[in-house]
Amino acid sequence: MNNFWKFWLLVFGLLFTSCVTAAGKHAALEQGFINPGFHEKPDWFKNSFLDLREDVAEAAEEGKRIILYFHQDGCPYCAKLLNENFTLKQLVDKTRSHFEIVAINIWGDREVSGLQGELTSEKALAAGLKVMYTPTLLFLDEQGRTALRVNGYYPPHKFEAALDYVAGRLERKQSFRDYLAGVEPAPAAGVLHQAPEYLPWPLDLKRSVDKADRLLLVLMEQKQCPACDELHNDILQRPAVKESLDQFDVALVDVWSGAMLATPMGERIRATEWAAGLKIHYAPSLLFFDRSGKEVFRTDALLKTFHVHAAIDYVLTGAYQTQPNFQRFVQARADAMRAQGIEPDLMD
């Protein structure tokens, strides 16, 4: 297929995808779901012409491998893969560094050039590969052979082990079963860490200066989230951190919940829509609001105790108003500790 026709096929494909996406987004939302009937794949998935041998070769040139992602609309486990695994920054970064993902609809009619060069369709390819579950993930090596096959949904800890196994070319040395038994990845708790001292649901976060409302910290989280577990089970339990946190109203929001809430500005909205509007891409994200309901600072990356506490105090002390650079505040904080004979552990 020459480049001219590839270009126009890509253009038409993107236009078609945009139309389908728009239609899907208008579907009615149900409690606890973003959209139970339509699952939009991340924009970083490969825009493939479905010439699989070419995809394998292009990925190999970049030192990557191909993952064939077999899915169908309305699949709840496809939704879990996209909405849980692929919203965890660590998993997304690792996947994008080592793999290109090609999405295949098991009922689709798009033409596919298969791994042996044969012309077929998405649904015929899926049938030929005996895909019985969605999602099914085929991790391909540089010759287009299956390095690992994942039938069904893997939770984040096990999925990360699969990524590490294939990215490390370990299929040449041992079975995935033996590898998994050796690494024993720790699962996430799979629960939200709602504490008695947090604001209760249904949430009304509207701020009122006249009532001298306290500063507000909103924890944007999800259930399958090892970093959220660490935040609540360790970092926020440290006495010094708790002392600072006690000066805030704290609310916990599930970024995938369809429950209604009132935002700090008083808008009534579903939790998942609010999180999307705020462009929350990492869990946990800590969002700080002043007494007028304006967001003044956020953290949206993996942070250990020192930096979490620094972020809380950055807002609590009002330092964000006079020092707009958080890193300078962090440096000054560390220097002040050293002046007292305390060496800060930035990765504790």
Side-chain angles (χ1 to χ4, degrees):
M1 185 183 293
N2 62 44
N3 290 333
F4 174 83
W5 287 111
K6 283 186 177 181
F7 171 78
W8 284 108
L9 281 173
L10 178 59
V11 170
F12 292 138
L14 291 174
L15 288 172
F16 175 77
T17 300
S18 297
C19 294
V20 173
T21 298
K25 286 182 177 178
H26 286 295
L29 288 164
E30 294 182 7
Q31 185 77 10
F33 291 88
I34 297 180
N35 186 324
F38 184 87
H39 312 300
E40 185 176 358
K41 67 180 185 295
D43 57 10
W44 51 266
F45 276 26
K46 183 176 179 65
N47 284 320
S48 171
F49 296 106
L50 299 184
D51 183 333
L52 300 186
R53 291 193 301 180
E54 184 175 273
D55 288 338
V56 168
E58 289 176 350
E61 288 179 2
E62 299 180 8
K64 298 183 179 182
R65 288 178 152 186
I66 288 292
I67 300 175
L68 298 182
Y69 161 57
F70 291 90
H71 66 95
Q72 62 179 316
D73 289 342
C75 163
Y77 289 100
C78 299
K80 284 179 72 67
L81 177 69
L82 300 183
N83 298 339
E84 293 183 6
N85 297 28
F86 285 144
T87 57
L88 294 172
K89 186 177 186 300
Q90 181 174 338
L91 293 188
V92 172
D93 288 348
K94 187 169 291 190
T95 303
R96 297 184 70 175
S97 294
H98 299 287
F99 301 95
E100 296 282 0
I101 301 184
V102 176
I104 306 285
N105 188 330
I106 66 167
W107 308 116
D109 292 314
R110 291 185 300 168
E111 184 178 83
V112 179
S113 179
L115 293 167
Q116 305 304 319
E118 75 282 8
L119 289 180
T120 183
S121 66
E122 291 177 284
K123 60 187 177 187
L125 177 69
L129 291 170
K130 295 181 169 51
V131 174
M132 302 292 183
Y133 308 92
T134 54
T136 289
L137 300 175
L138 264 61
F139 294 76
L140 304 181
D141 68 10
E142 291 75 9
Q143 286 73 46
R145 299 173 300 212
T146 301
L148 177 66
R149 178 171 178 146
V150 173
N151 294 318
Y153 170 74
Y154 277 10
H157 71 289
K158 190 173 180 181
F159 183 73
E160 184 170 15
L163 294 176
D164 290 338
Y165 175 76
V166 181
R169 278 67 175 168
L170 298 179
E171 79 278 359
R172 303 168 183 173
K173 300 178 180 179
Q174 64 183 142
S175 69
F176 180 60
R177 176 180 177 179
D178 290 342
Y179 172 77
L180 192 63
V183 297
E184 295 183 347
V191 298
L192 293 173
H193 298 272
Q194 179 71 31
E197 61 270 23
Y198 295 171
L199 296 176
W201 279 82
L203 280 180
D204 184 352
L205 303 178
K206 184 176 180 181
R207 303 287 92 186
S208 173
V209 177
D210 294 339
K211 296 180 181 178
D213 279 346
R214 301 200 300 174
L215 294 166
L216 173 66
L217 169 59
V218 177
L219 306 173
M220 291 285 190
E221 303 187 7
Q222 62 185 45
K223 293 177 181 177
Q224 289 291 345
C225 175
C228 301
D229 297 340
E230 181 183 6
L231 177 69
H232 289 274
N233 296 335
D234 180 11
I235 297 173
L236 298 186
Q237 299 303 315
R238 307 284 182 103
V241 179
K242 285 179 65 71
E243 183 177 350
S244 294
L245 197 63
D246 285 344
Q247 308 305 309
F248 288 81
D249 284 337
V250 181
L252 179 60
V253 173
D254 181 349
V255 297
W256 300 114
S257 171
M260 298 295 294
L261 57 78
T263 71
M265 289 296 187
E267 178 187 6
R268 295 282 300 170
I269 192 172
R270 293 183 186 275
T272 187
E273 294 171 348
W274 190 41
L278 290 169
K279 300 188 185 323
I280 301 300
H281 300 299
Y282 180 80
S285 285
L286 280 62
L287 275 60
F288 296 87
F289 297 84
D290 66 14
R291 292 175 177 84
S292 70
K294 176 184 176 183
E295 183 185 341
V296 295
F297 186 63
R298 72 167 63 181
T299 70
D300 51 4
L302 178 65
L303 298 178
K304 296 296 186 178
T305 303
F306 177 84
H307 285 88
V308 170
H309 195 186
I312 293 171
D313 281 352
Y314 182 59
V315 177
L316 179 62
T317 62
Y320 71 92
Q321 297 173 310
T322 57
Q323 174 50 273
N325 190 308
F326 176 61
Q327 289 304 318
R328 292 194 181 278
F329 174 81
V330 168
Q331 291 169 3
R333 184 185 181 92
D335 290 342
M337 293 176 66
R338 293 187 183 101
Q340 300 175 39
I342 304 171
E343 183 60 34
D345 185 347
L346 304 186
M347 293 305 295
D348 177 25

